[in-house]
Amino acid sequence: MNKNVSQTFEQMIKWQSQKKCIRNGIVVYGAPSARKFRYLRDSLKRFSETVLCRDFETLTFTDIDSGFLQRYVSHLQGRNVAEKIRKLKQIFRSAHAGTEVFEPVEAIPAVRKTTDLFIPYSEIVRIREMDRISLTNKESFCLDLFLFGFYSGGSSVAEMAALRKENVHGDYLCCERIGCSGTARIPLNKYAKEILRKYRKDGFGDYLLPVFTHKHLSAEQQQGRIKRITEQTNGLMKEIARKLQLECELTLGMTRRIFIEHMLACRMPLETIAEVTGCTLDTIIRYLENISKTKPMDIPYFLPGCTYSKTGRKAGRLLYI
């Protein structure tokens, strides 16, 4: 297969960028997926040019054999290896290239990253109760977004930005998930309610949280705003992780995993976790398989702010009081 790798990447990135769907009334383009392929392309280009001294623009699929992939995996040093290999296989399939060259590297045990460490709920408590005196109003808002993202089952900024008053049904928050294309039914505990009350008067229109303002009316403006807020929040959380001397970095993208792992550690029914997060049951089972490799420590038995009855647990539902 002598097809050019760089050109195939460009075609995939262009196709992913043009994909769009509507979630919670907002037009969502395929920018996140396109960005991941762009990161992979740039990573391969650096490896090809700095390690192999090979012009990436001339690289073909025939050049990427098992030896190439093994050297590339070593070059990554455990940085998001599994996802990069999975995306690269997708590039191979789009070019109708054989994927048997991936078998040796797929057998290599993945290096556990610091962001993959089990995070006990006590760390979330430390973050929530930290002294905010040194934070600006914008940084305090970003911190509240991180916390609300966790308490709402791992919501992204795009999902939180789209929340409107109509999404609140009594003590529950119902919304469409962007990443997993499911609908989540989330019990609002007291901490989530406090955040909503805090920003009740600041929201633009009938939005629950003040992510958008009167300046963000078009889809492009809203996407730009979401990107900036996400980057600002992730930057802040990395600083907070260092300040609190946590063993791992924290990002908004981790809130869903932290939430699911916490619920699993609390031994909540898998169907309940799937309902709250909007994920499929198979996804929750994969999380369960991963968490079984770690030792849960310092975990309260139930999600704070919620009360569960035995009847509710048997029925696979969360009962909020």
Side-chain angles (χ1 to χ4, degrees):
M1 171 61 72
N2 293 320
K3 194 170 182 180
N4 186 278
V5 174
S6 177
Q7 292 176 358
T8 305
F9 264 103
E10 293 303 321
Q11 293 170 1
M12 176 65 76
I13 292 170
K14 181 179 179 180
W15 179 71
Q16 291 287 346
S17 299
Q18 293 173 344
K19 291 172 59 177
K20 66 178 181 179
C21 60
I22 299 178
R23 297 292 180 194
N24 296 313
I26 291 182
V27 177
V28 179
Y29 292 88
S33 297
R35 187 162 56 247
K36 291 179 181 179
F37 282 104
R38 193 177 295 113
Y39 288 158
L40 173 58
R41 179 202 60 192
D42 294 343
S43 174
L44 272 175
K45 183 177 181 179
R46 286 193 298 271
F47 168 73
S48 178
E49 295 178 351
T50 61
V51 178
L52 302 182
C53 299
R54 171 72 186 271
D55 185 1
F56 179 71
E57 302 299 326
T58 65
L59 196 68
T60 67
F61 287 93
T62 304
D63 298 322
I64 304 179
D65 54 16
S66 58
F68 179 102
L69 291 174
Q70 288 176 331
R71 293 187 65 180
Y72 178 56
V73 169
S74 299
H75 169 75
L76 292 175
Q77 297 180 337
R79 298 189 299 272
N80 213 12
V81 173
E83 182 176 357
K84 283 186 170 64
I85 293 299
R86 185 168 60 251
K87 292 293 184 185
L88 186 55
K89 283 185 70 174
Q90 191 172 341
I91 291 291
F92 266 66
R93 293 192 186 99
S94 69
H96 305 289
T99 58
E100 60 277 358
V101 296
F102 288 89
E103 294 177 1
V105 296
E106 288 177 329
I108 300 175
V111 177
R112 194 167 181 82
K113 302 180 296 181
T114 56
T115 52
D116 286 337
L117 294 174
F118 181 85
I119 302 175
Y121 180 77
S122 59
E123 303 292 13
I124 298 294
V125 174
R126 289 181 63 201
I127 294 170
R128 187 185 69 234
E129 297 181 352
M130 65 174 285
D131 187 356
R132 300 193 183 196
I133 192 170
S134 62
L135 299 182
T136 65
N137 290 338
K138 180 178 290 186
E139 289 173 336
S140 184
F141 174 60
C142 289
L143 177 54
D144 285 332
L145 282 181
F146 176 85
L147 292 171
F148 190 84
F150 169 77
Y151 288 121
S152 59
S155 299
S156 65
V157 172
E159 291 166 345
M160 290 186 282
L163 293 176
R164 301 173 183 266
K165 295 177 181 178
E166 64 188 32
N167 293 111
V168 178
H169 300 270
D171 292 321
Y172 286 85
L173 183 68
C174 299
C175 63
E176 294 181 52
R177 292 301 194 194
I178 294 176
C180 54
S181 301
T183 300
R185 188 169 184 267
I186 309 154
L188 290 170
N189 65 15
K190 65 179 183 181
Y191 303 115
K193 286 186 173 182
E194 286 174 3
I195 293 173
L196 291 180
R197 280 195 296 268
K198 181 177 179 180
Y199 296 101
R200 181 169 49 194
K201 296 181 180 180
D202 298 329
F204 173 66
D206 61 348
Y207 288 112
L208 292 178
L209 294 167
V211 176
F212 298 141
T213 70
H214 65 282
K215 299 178 181 179
H216 312 106
L217 300 178
S218 68
E220 290 77 14
Q221 290 170 332
Q222 291 177 348
Q223 287 293 319
R225 174 69 167 174
I226 289 170
K227 180 181 178 181
R228 290 190 296 274
I229 292 292
T230 300
E231 292 174 347
Q232 291 167 2
T233 303
N234 287 339
L236 173 67
M237 296 314 300
K238 290 179 181 179
E239 292 180 9
I240 289 176
R242 288 193 293 269
K243 181 178 180 180
L244 298 180
Q245 297 182 340
L246 303 182
E247 294 183 357
C248 63
E249 294 183 348
L250 288 176
T251 64
L252 267 166
M254 295 172 62
T255 55
R256 184 167 302 175
R257 177 175 68 81
I258 299 172
F259 182 89
I260 292 174
E261 289 182 347
H262 171 62
M263 297 290 280
L264 289 170
C266 292
R267 294 172 175 80
M268 293 304 301
L270 303 188
E271 294 84 357
T272 301
I273 303 175
E275 177 186 5
V276 171
T277 58
C279 297
T280 64
L281 189 58
D282 288 340
T283 298
I284 304 302
I285 292 174
R286 285 198 295 272
Y287 277 103
L288 179 61
E289 292 172 348
N290 290 333
I291 200 175
S292 64
K293 301 174 184 178
T294 66
K295 182 180 180 182
M297 299 177 62
D298 193 21
I299 303 290
Y301 194 71
F302 295 120
L303 185 64
C306 293
T307 302
Y308 307 90
S309 72
K310 293 181 179 179
T311 302
R313 293 192 67 206
K314 288 180 179 178
R317 294 188 299 109
L318 290 169
L319 299 182
Y320 179 89
I321 298 179

